[in-house]
Amino acid sequence: MAEPDLWRHMASAPKDGSRILVTIRPSEQGPAAVDLAYWSNGDQFGAEGWRASDSSPGRIIEYAEPELKCWMPMPSANLDRTSMPSPWEGEDARELDGSGI
């Protein structure tokens, strides 16, 4: 499981097209989850906003800002670790970025 201090507020997420890990808030569609996403400036396939990295023309998966709880940079390559981190399940603002210490 990823350490809480690795997760950051979405407001600080890079909007340069780089891939990041995001925690998707739980909803009536399912429990919290982690996905690989990036910021798109918009194109003929969709509007500006967060997209799942497995989006493709005609099959864009977009996330609204309120759907995303927090983010973390992609972990460096580690051949012993092949699974995604667990979604951040803690409280929102106070515990992210180590501010709850």
Side-chain angles (χ1 to χ4, degrees):
M1 182 164 97
E3 294 296 321
D5 59 342
L6 296 178
W7 290 104
R8 297 173 171 93
H9 294 281
M10 284 305 298
S12 67
K15 292 186 174 180
D16 60 3
S18 58
R19 270 47 177 176
I20 60 173
L21 294 175
V22 294
T23 292
I24 304 163
R25 294 178 185 278
S27 69
E28 59 273 0
Q29 283 80 33
V34 171
D35 197 5
L36 184 62
Y38 68 97
W39 178 263
S40 171
N41 289 323
D43 53 28
Q44 72 263 27
F45 304 110
E48 177 179 79
W50 294 105
R51 293 183 183 177
S53 66
D54 55 354
S55 293
S56 60
R59 298 189 72 101
I60 303 296
I61 302 166
E62 296 177 318
Y63 293 115
E65 289 280 343
E67 288 181 275
L68 303 178
K69 188 171 188 176
C70 52
W71 75 281
M72 70 183 295
M74 288 293 297
S76 59
N78 183 345
L79 298 177
D80 294 332
R81 194 169 163 178
T82 58
S83 63
M84 294 281 258
S86 299
W88 172 244
E89 300 275 348
E91 294 297 318
D92 282 355
R94 292 183 306 203
E95 294 183 43
L96 296 173
D97 293 326
S99 59
I101 298 174

